[in-house]
Amino acid sequence: MSKAKVLPQYIAGLSAAFGAFCMGASMGWSAPVEQMLTKEEAYGFPISDDEFGWISSLLTLGATCVCIPAGFVIDWIGRKPTMLALIPPYMVGWILMIFANNVAMLYFGRFILGVCGGAFCVTASMYSTEISTLATRGTLGSFFQLNTVSGLLYGYIVGGYLPLLTINILCAILPLIFVTVHFFMPESPVYLAMKNRPEDATKSLKWLRGQDFDVSDELKEIMEETNKEDDEPKESVWKALRRPLTLKGIGIAVILQALQQWTGINAIMFYSTSIFEDVGSGLSGTICTILIGATQVIMTLIATMIIDKAGRRILLLISSVFMAITTCLMGVYFIMQESDPSSVESLGWLPITSILLFIVFFSIGFGPVPWILMAELFTDDVKSVAGSIAGTSNWFSAFLVTKLFPLLKNAIGSAPTFWIFTVIAIIAFFYCMFFVPETKGKTLIEIQHILAGGKLPPKNETETEAEKH
């Protein structure tokens, strides 16, 4: 019997994750255009620093508002149709950004872009893990974060060297590229099985695994798992969400998503240009921001290649240790700068090196892993809604961090602000050490058994235990 092909899975996974590229470009737009909007009045009307703060953060607020509704929609109409349906509102968002003649249009445009990007974050992550085999699940799950940071870099590059109108147009065409490619991809076989469409699920699996691959065993397993509740009393989503194992999984996923943001990544990414100009590094803010973006892409690509070999938990532990060290060093630099500016004249490299190392270790652990675990911890009947709750935690935390970071920086200073991130990274280390399970190479049944507090028993015992839950 032939082996399952990997390339079709990669193509479909990257296609879905291109929605994250669109969102990343929207996020990356903020840093390079800040001076254009607040100092140069590139739109033809004044924008204050506070208004720009809202323009930046409304993207994440929009994503916060849509995640839970998106969880219901993707179970109602499907993963692929949901992603395709996001393109018209995406275009509306960018049209508002292109033709804005007042701040309100920018607010609405950014909010709509956030809504579409947040819906993609739930749908694309779910889709990527559902089309994968056990051996490729971590890699495909990493595609979402890889495309997000690639989109950020795209936003940094076009934003750093082109006029505002051109930047907006080059970002606006990205959703059109997505719909052109993803239109030809298959629907998730798991969703098709949930809707009791075995023939369509077979076609999807054949597309993903290769026409010569025997998908009957995999199809049988998916159908049994997704439809086993048909023989039991129908359970509402809300009741299913209150199952002890589901609540435990939601707790882990929500906390990891919040920790991803509260360790400071979006504060650093959104305000990277300003940070570099503040430290007087000798390099332009644009160059340093692009350097950050390129570092993040390279390291996320490396994480994509090693995540199914190294494991999820160990990468989270390594990531949190180095994020704590680097944010602590940044705090030390800024406290020295505030007390005696001459003492750091030759240390402009320190915050830049610290930020780059922060990005390196964030990208191999806390960048991709929370998104992967979000799609791995739950049974199929609650996966969409439970995952969307975790996604809401991420975007709401991102909104709070991007709003609070400049306020804290002005109120208590840069050094204490970065030391807050240090403390949160230390908390993240101990949380991952004691509470986060290793899911590498585990089936859904095995993951559920680990959440129940048991070691892995023989396969037949594992199945029996999972059926109880």
Side-chain angles (χ1 to χ4, degrees), residues 29 36 42-43 94 97-99 162-172:
W29 176 92
M36 295 184 199
Y43 273 111
W94 277 114
M97 299 297 294
I98 290 171
F99 295 104
L162 297 172
L164 183 62
L165 177 62
T166 307
I167 297 168
N168 288 340
I169 291 173
L170 288 176
C171 288

Side-chain angles (χ1 to χ4, degrees), residues 252-443:
I252 293 169
V254 164
I255 291 172
L256 283 178
Q257 293 283 8
L259 287 172
Q260 183 196 71
Q261 294 300 323
W262 284 102
T263 48
I265 180 62
N266 266 350
I268 290 172
M269 299 304 291
F270 272 122
Y271 296 97
S272 54
T273 301
S274 300
I275 290 172
F276 281 123
E277 289 174 351
D278 285 347
V279 302
S281 62
L283 295 174
S284 71
T286 298
I287 293 295
C288 292
T289 304
I290 291 172
L291 187 60
I292 281 184
T295 302
Q296 197 168 18
V297 170
I298 293 167
M299 295 312 300
T300 305
L301 182 59
I302 291 172
T304 300
M305 294 186 287
I306 67 173
I307 203 159
D308 275 321
K309 298 179 178 66
R312 285 56 156 157
R313 190 163 164 269
I314 186 64
L315 292 179
L316 287 173
L317 292 171
I318 294 171
S319 180
S320 54
V321 166
F322 282 93
M323 286 193 298
I325 293 171
T326 51
T327 50
C328 181
L329 288 174
M330 290 171 69
V332 170
Y333 174 88
F334 283 116
I335 199 70
M336 291 173 62
Q337 184 188 53
E338 290 166 12
S339 61
D340 182 10
S342 63
S343 66
V344 295
E345 287 179 356
S346 61
L347 294 178
W349 56 270
L350 180 59
I352 296 177
T353 304
S354 297
I355 288 176
L356 290 177
L357 287 175
F358 179 96
I359 296 298
V360 164
F361 288 100
F362 173 86
S363 299
I364 66 168
F366 262 91
V369 173
W371 295 110
I372 297 171
L373 287 173
M374 184 185 82
E376 289 182 327
L377 291 173
F378 307 109
T379 54
D380 293 323
D381 60 333
V382 297
K383 183 188 294 182
S384 300
V385 178
S388 67
I389 292 171
T392 300
S393 168
N394 182 286
W395 290 112
F396 185 59
S397 296
F399 168 72
L400 291 177
V401 171
T402 51
K403 283 301 293 178
L404 290 175
F405 176 73
L407 297 176
L408 279 173
K409 200 171 82 157
N410 292 333
I412 64 175
S414 297
T417 302
F418 279 101
W419 285 335
I420 290 173
F421 294 145
T422 301
V423 171
I424 295 172
I426 293 170
I427 293 171
F429 173 84
F430 286 105
Y431 181 78
C432 294
M433 176 176 286
F434 294 111
F435 297 105
V436 176
E438 178 55 73
T439 59
K440 181 192 76 168
K442 305 288 193 302
T443 65

Side-chain angles (χ1 to χ4, degrees), residues 5-18 20 123-147 189 207-209 300-301 303-308 312 368 371-373 375-376:
K5 291 184 177 179
V6 173
L7 184 59
Q9 298 175 54
Y10 285 178
I11 292 172
L14 284 169
S15 168
F18 193 76
T123 314
S125 297
M126 203 75 61
Y127 179 89
S128 295
T129 55
E130 289 181 348
I131 66 171
S132 64
T133 61
L134 198 61
T136 61
R137 192 176 65 201
T139 300
L140 265 68
S142 301
F143 284 170
F144 176 84
Q145 183 69 9
L146 178 61
N147 274 267
W207 194 101
L208 293 163
R209 310 289 184 257
T300 305
L301 182 59
T304 300
M305 294 186 287
I306 67 173
I307 203 159
D308 275 321
R312 285 56 156 157
W371 295 110
I372 297 171
L373 287 173
E376 289 182 327

Side-chain angles (χ1 to χ4, degrees), residues 73-186:
V73 171
I74 61 179
D75 275 349
W76 176 40
I77 67 173
R79 283 56 162 154
K80 177 182 173 182
T82 299
M83 288 188 280
L84 296 178
L86 291 170
I87 302 309
Y90 231 134
M91 297 309 300
V92 170
W94 277 114
I95 288 170
L96 286 170
M97 299 297 294
I98 290 171
F99 295 104
N101 54 29
N102 55 63
V103 174
M105 290 180 70
L106 293 176
Y107 286 167
F108 279 110
R110 290 286 286 177
F111 185 83
I112 292 169
L113 293 177
V115 166
C116 296
F120 263 120
C121 95
V122 174
T123 314
S125 297
M126 203 75 61
Y127 179 89
S128 295
T129 55
E130 289 181 348
I131 66 171
S132 64
T133 61
L134 198 61
T136 61
R137 192 176 65 201
T139 300
L140 265 68
S142 301
F143 284 170
F144 176 84
Q145 183 69 9
L146 178 61
N147 274 267
T148 300
V149 298
S150 298
L152 273 166
L153 178 59
Y154 176 87
Y156 290 160
I157 293 172
V158 299
Y161 297 101
L162 297 172
L164 183 62
L165 177 62
T166 307
I167 297 168
N168 288 340
I169 291 173
L170 288 176
C171 288
I173 64 174
L174 297 176
L176 299 177
I177 296 173
F178 168 83
V179 74
T180 302
V181 176
H182 198 68
F183 180 81
F184 299 99
M185 298 298 112

